Amino acid sequence: MKTICLYFEIHQITHLKRYRFFDIGTDHYYYDDYENERSITYIAENSYMPALNALQEMIEQNGDYFRVAFSLSGVGMEQLEMHAPQVIEKLQELNNTGCVEFLTEPYSHGLAGLANEESFKRDIEKMSDKIQEYFGKRPTVCRNSSLIYTDDIGMQVAALGYKGMLTEGAKHILGWKSPHFVYNCACAPNLKLLLRDVSASDDISLRFSNTQWEGYPLFADTYINNLASCPESEQVVNIFMELSALGIAQPLSSNILEFIKALPACAKNAGLEFLTPSEVMDKYQSVGGIDVPNTVSWVDEERDCSVWLGNQMQREAFNKLYSVADRLLIAKDPRLLQDWDYLQASNNFRFMTTKPSNNNIDRGIYDGAFDAFTNYMNILGDFISRVRTLYGGIDNEELENMLNTITNQGKEIETKDKEIQRLKSKLAKYEDTKPAKKTAAKKAPAKAAAKKA
């Protein structure tokens, strides 16, 4: 039976305010509160809540048959906590059905995986802690921001103990292979990979309401029959997209939710099943490794990172931001760490793109790529000044020694914790056997007395 794996991403940027050069050193608050509240409220009302209500209805009508997965960015969750808590409450209701899986991703929705391994690790684990806090279960599957992936990132995620990742089924990495199988990281065979079906996903998220598209109008039975017509040997069709595609990219007036709600019945008639990513990985064995030496993502035709790092302005901002990454690893200031999360968000770099394919991108308050770069660098200048003031007397060599000390202390504490657990277990076994020995000792004289008589 062929499987459908349906997954939605939920992420919202924290919008930056207009920040002038003369604000550096005097104003340490970088955010546009009005725009943040306006944008997240609009998306919650016109996309998130209607879409989540539709998915809940699908679960109620189909029971355990219909299953779906989500991942949330930490910065997006913070926006929801402040301005649209009903979205999180609805996600918790869906979680209680037992038909939903939550994945982990970088808390900041940033690009740390391309720059600093320790920052990336902390970003992932911070998000996993938050998912466990809100939904009661620690994620076992990971996805990077915008499905960014390389062999090196796969090894980092595997080292953290996750059993799988989601990434893009890009043609230049698949070649003649099909995305409809479970693969594994070439450098970490225990890490399974699910590859997004580009066509099946974009038919819904990008083309559904396009009247000029040759597939318009798209009906649920036609869509499912196309999936079912894949070769019988193929295992899983991975349909990954942003949740905002339902209501924003594809307006509610296009009947996108009616289309989505019809999918389970059509899939059942076609003999297909729905599983979450971890269930797919448990059911199917990997058919082989995928080599991804260069970065791949789900953005633009190139499916690479050029939308964030394609020009000199973006690379300069990126390098300057992560030049203080090691110093943030030992920071304890909550405000500084929160700013660090918000400034890492990949959207900040996308506003600086000069790619012709992104001419129509919504840049918010910015007039163009250079305007976005200038505003971001002004903020970054003030942020880095604060970081250096906090750790101004530490040179790079001394900082590296401090980080090594902290890492070694962490490993030593972990080793001692394991030893304590081992000794506790040993003591518990000893306590269990101790009463039995006493009983035997008490019974022995009675037996001897009987013999004497």
Side-chain angles (χ1 to χ4, degrees):
M1 179 181 288
K2 198 178 275 82
T3 300
I4 297 174
C5 182
L6 183 61
Y7 151 82
F8 295 100
E9 177 206 35
I10 300 177
H11 163 64
Q12 286 300 313
I13 187 176
T14 302
H15 294 274
L16 303 178
K17 69 180 182 182
R18 181 65 68 179
Y19 194 91
R20 309 292 181 183
F21 175 79
F22 298 104
D23 294 327
I24 298 174
T26 61
D27 182 4
H28 303 317
Y29 190 76
Y30 311 134
Y31 313 108
D32 187 338
D33 292 333
Y34 171 79
E35 180 58 24
N36 284 325
E37 183 175 2
R38 186 206 65 79
S39 61
I40 194 67
T41 301
Y42 176 82
I43 293 172
E45 291 178 354
N46 292 277
S47 172
Y48 290 168
M49 288 305 296
L52 293 175
N53 284 328
L55 293 169
Q56 185 177 34
E57 183 180 331
M58 293 161 70
I59 292 173
E60 290 171 353
Q61 291 178 350
N62 296 279
D64 291 342
Y65 172 74
F66 178 71
R67 312 183 77 77
V68 64
F70 299 95
S71 76
L72 300 88
S73 69
V75 296
M77 284 192 74
E78 290 185 18
Q79 290 296 309
L80 293 172
E81 288 166 348
M82 287 187 286
H83 305 302
Q86 69 273 20
V87 175
I88 295 180
E89 291 171 5
K90 179 59 66 176
L91 287 168
Q92 289 174 325
E93 287 181 30
L94 287 169
N95 181 57
N96 292 336
T97 65
C99 298
V100 173
E101 179 181 3
F102 288 91
L103 315 184
T104 192
E105 65 170 76
Y107 190 95
S108 66
H109 200 269
L111 307 174
L114 304 175
N116 189 288
E117 184 174 342
E118 285 301 316
S119 292
F120 181 64
K121 174 183 176 181
R122 186 170 72 171
D123 231 7
I124 293 288
E125 293 298 86
K126 184 178 179 180
M127 192 67 242
S128 292
D129 292 341
K130 197 171 185 73
I131 292 295
Q132 186 170 22
E133 175 189 350
Y134 273 82
F135 304 108
K137 186 177 180 180
R138 196 166 188 83
T140 59
V141 178
C142 175
R143 61 142 267 159
N144 199 4
S145 311
S146 300
L147 298 189
I148 293 173
Y149 178 80
T150 63
D151 290 335
D152 184 58
I153 289 174
M155 287 192 292
Q156 293 178 46
V157 171
L160 294 176
Y162 296 95
K163 67 181 180 182
M165 278 194 79
L166 312 186
T167 189
E168 180 74 344
K171 291 181 181 179
H172 66 275
I173 66 166
L174 279 172
W176 56 268
K177 298 176 182 177
S178 167
H180 299 158
F181 293 95
V182 177
Y183 294 94
N184 63 266
C185 173
C187 301
N190 291 333
L191 185 79
K192 292 183 176 180
L193 300 177
L194 298 184
L195 307 184
R196 186 176 86 113
D197 185 309
V198 177
S199 178
S201 302
D202 289 351
D203 282 351
I204 299 175
S205 62
L206 298 182
R207 295 184 281 267
F208 182 79
S209 61
N210 182 5
T211 57
Q212 305 302 314
W213 174 41
E214 61 181 11
Y216 181 87
L218 181 62
F219 296 103
D221 55 350
T222 304
Y223 182 81
I224 290 295
N225 288 337
N226 288 337
L227 302 185
S229 65
C230 295
E232 187 64 30
S233 61
E234 295 187 348
Q235 301 167 335
V236 57
V237 180
N238 300 304
I239 304 170
F240 305 159
M241 68 191 81
E242 297 178 5
L243 185 61
S244 60
L246 310 182
I248 303 299
Q250 308 304 322
L252 298 178
S253 59
S254 68
N255 293 322
I256 182 66
L257 294 185
E258 285 66 25
F259 169 85
I260 291 292
K261 287 191 285 188
L263 292 179
C266 295
K268 189 177 291 187
N269 291 336
L272 306 183
E273 66 176 349
F274 286 88
L275 293 178
T276 64
S278 64
E279 290 170 338
V280 171
M281 292 172 185
D282 289 339
K283 179 176 180 178
Y284 297 110
Q285 295 297 318
S286 168
V287 297
I290 291 286
D291 291 300
V292 189
N294 300 314
T295 54
V296 62
S297 78
W298 70 358
V299 178
D300 288 352
E301 288 296 323
E302 297 87 351
R303 306 291 191 230
D304 59 13
C305 290
S306 58
V307 72
W308 304 287
L309 301 174
N311 63 46
Q312 186 60 39
M313 292 185 296
Q314 292 170 310
R315 290 191 290 272
E316 181 179 345
F318 177 80
N319 292 332
K320 188 170 184 180
L321 174 67
Y322 285 102
S323 68
V324 294
D326 288 341
R327 293 173 186 267
L328 268 300
L329 292 173
I330 57 174
K332 302 297 182 184
D333 185 340
R335 174 73 182 278
L336 202 65
L337 292 173
Q338 186 180 56
D339 291 339
W340 171 243
D341 288 334
Y342 294 166
L343 293 177
Q344 284 189 85
S346 62
N347 310 62
N348 293 314
F349 299 96
R350 188 169 190 177
F351 293 148
M352 306 175 201
T353 185
T354 52
K355 292 181 67 175
S357 58
N358 281 261
N359 283 339
N360 296 323
I361 185 176
D362 181 8
R363 300 182 197 265
I365 63 172
Y366 305 124
D367 296 329
F370 184 73
D371 188 30
F373 169 74
T374 302
N375 199 70
Y376 184 79
M377 293 302 281
N378 287 341
I379 292 173
L380 194 55
D382 183 79
F383 175 75
I384 290 177
S385 176
R386 290 164 56 204
V387 174
R388 288 177 176 166
T389 298
L390 194 59
Y391 302 106
I394 304 177
D395 59 25
N396 290 334
E397 184 176 352
E398 186 178 355
L399 177 65
E400 187 175 348
N401 290 334
M402 287 180 63
L403 291 172
N404 287 335
T405 300
I406 292 170
T407 302
N408 292 335
Q409 286 176 343
K411 291 179 179 178
E412 187 176 345
I413 291 171
E414 185 179 351
T415 301
K416 287 184 177 179
D417 285 342
K418 289 180 179 178
E419 180 65 17
I420 290 171
Q421 288 299 118
R422 188 185 68 81
L423 292 173
K424 282 183 177 179
S425 177
K426 192 173 181 180
L427 180 61
K429 290 180 180 178
Y430 175 75
E431 292 294 337
D432 289 341
T433 58
K434 196 174 179 182
K437 290 181 179 178
K438 286 183 178 179
T439 304
K442 288 179 180 179
K443 288 181 178 178
K447 189 175 181 181
K451 284 184 179 180
K452 187 175 180 181

